[in-house]
Amino acid sequence: MGRSPCCEKAHTNKGAWTKEEDDRLIAYIKAHGEGCWRSLPKAAGLLRCGKSCRLRWINYLRPDLKRGNFTEEEDELIIKLHSLLGNKWSLIAARLPGRTDNEIKNYWNTHIKRKLLNRGVDPVTHRPLNEVASHPDASTTTTTTTTTTIKTISFSSPTPNLTQEEVFDLKDEKVNQQAQDQQREIWPDLNLELRISPPLPENPERLKTWARICFTCSFGIKSGQDCNCINNASECSSSSSSNDSSVGYDFLGLRTNAGLDYRGLEMNR
DNA sequence: AATCGAAGCAACCGCATCATT
DNA sequence: GAATGATGCGGTTGCTTCGAT
């Protein structure tokens, strides 16, 4: 497939953005909204590439950005998410409100990597360094970071919309179990039963209800029209909330006290 | 005060993916 | 199904800042 240049390079500015350029971009997006990045520069009177405008807006000008130092909680969350997702910075950023993928990526490379090394943990595999050194796969993990990391995750149910890379080789159950055991040693509070639905309830009575919830309901997007499972609305709504309605677990098995928003969680790469 | 190297971070680039024709 | 356009992602680069000497 041929690729056309994203912009006319001869007449575009590069490098750091000026205050005036920022103001123009902000004003334009406030008036017209995000999108149509290719045509935006011309419409906004900017001598910039559309990609450059998009990056500038997403990483620095968006009003909902948090800025400032990362907290200890954010550090730990990033480490946990990276152990599960690998270098999927956009997915990790989706779990940290106000943080961008670029910001997290930079922070990872400059701070967290070092932090993990000081703890004696390999930042690529999240395994103890001495173990990584003696592990037969150690050499390959560095070249296929994402694939290898993702392979330590198991899926307990069929997983639609996942690429081949992301789907664990179910034939290798034994290795998978070992990987989970290792992960539990590092993160004892982390539920590694990754699934695209609420976690399996331990209570047998609730399990009966849980097993009859359709995919649509499990994502919390049920409507009378869309739902094709055998449950009625009350069962679905009750099953998706726990005794403490403000606390739950997202699909990564992470405890959350906010409403689940799966829209920002893409697994299509 | 000057120099130099390391660290931090903003921005760019190439590629992948999805949507549209 | 192929071609093309638009957007998003992750890796990398290069500039700036900071601290040590």
Side-chain angles (χ1 to χ4, degrees):
Chain A
M1 189 196 330
R3 180 184 298 276
S4 59
C6 71
C7 55
E8 185 136 4
K9 296 193 186 277
H11 304 293
T12 54
N13 291 340
K14 288 176 81 171
W17 280 65
T18 64
K19 178 84 175 58
E20 192 192 345
E21 286 177 314
D22 282 349
D23 291 343
R24 274 181 187 269
L25 183 58
I26 292 167
Y28 183 85
I29 291 177
K30 272 185 180 169
H32 302 93
E34 289 181 51
C36 298
W37 295 109
R38 198 181 171 88
S39 58
L40 183 147
K42 198 176 178 184
L46 287 163
L47 293 174
R48 287 276 178 177
C49 165
K51 280 172 100 170
S52 181
C53 294
R54 179 185 155 270
L55 207 64
R56 183 67 184 169
W57 173 255
I58 287 176
N59 286 334
Y60 303 98
L61 302 178
R62 254 167 48 197
D64 58 325
L65 292 179
K66 198 185 263 182
R67 317 304 302 173
N69 295 338
F70 282 76
T71 64
E72 194 60 33
E73 288 74 28
E74 285 177 313
D75 277 18
E76 294 306 317
L77 183 55
I78 291 168
I79 293 168
K80 283 185 185 182
L81 289 168
H82 187 273
S83 72
L84 288 166
L85 301 166
N87 294 1
K88 299 285 180 184
W89 305 116
S90 59
L91 283 175
I92 294 171
R95 308 298 308 158
L96 286 131
R99 301 294 187 187
T100 69
D101 52 358
N102 204 36
E103 191 179 12
I104 293 170
K105 178 174 60 182
N106 283 333
Y107 188 65
W108 175 270
N109 287 326
T110 55
H111 292 87
I112 300 185
K113 259 187 180 176
R114 204 183 311 145
K115 190 173 178 176
L116 288 178
L117 288 170
N118 286 340
R119 286 181 186 173
V121 175
D122 183 79
V124 176
T125 61
H126 293 266
R127 291 176 177 163
L129 277 172
N130 52 3
E131 183 186 335
V132 171
S134 61
H135 196 280
D137 292 340
S139 59
T140 58
T141 53
T142 54
T143 53
T144 56
T145 311
T146 302
T147 308
T148 310
T149 307
I150 292 295
K151 278 189 174 181
T152 62
I153 305 164
S154 76
F155 292 95
S156 58
S157 59
T159 51
N161 301 326
L162 293 178
T163 65
Q164 227 174 351
E165 276 188 355
E166 288 164 329
V167 176
F168 179 78
D169 183 358
L170 293 168
K171 283 181 268 179
D172 206 349
E173 292 250 7
K174 230 177 178 179
V175 174
N176 178 37
Q177 189 55 52
Q178 284 171 1
Q180 281 197 36
D181 291 345
Q182 283 164 357
Q183 292 280 4
R184 284 199 182 92
E185 282 172 27
I186 303 168
W187 306 111
D189 60 329
L190 189 61
N191 176 4
L192 285 172
E193 290 195 20
L194 185 59
R195 70 184 87 244
I196 310 296
S197 71
L200 200 64
E202 286 173 13
N203 180 327
E205 281 307 307
R206 296 195 69 76
L207 181 61
K208 285 182 201 166
T209 309
W210 184 90
R212 288 186 292 148
I213 302 170
C214 72
F215 191 73
T216 314
C217 288
S218 71
F219 270 70
I221 52 176
K222 176 189 175 351
S223 73
Q225 213 174 332
D226 298 335
C227 178
N228 57 4
C229 72
I230 60 171
N231 293 315
N232 60 34
S234 63
E235 275 181 319
C236 282
S237 59
S238 66
S239 63
S240 61
S241 63
S242 61
N243 290 341
D244 176 5
S245 62
S246 65
V247 177
Y249 295 84
D250 67 11
F251 90 121
L252 290 173
L254 296 168
R255 205 175 150 87
T256 173
N257 56 3
L260 300 182
D261 184 0
Y262 293 94
R263 289 168 301 181
L265 293 167
E266 300 171 40
M267 291 289 281
N268 54 3
R269 265 187 166 256

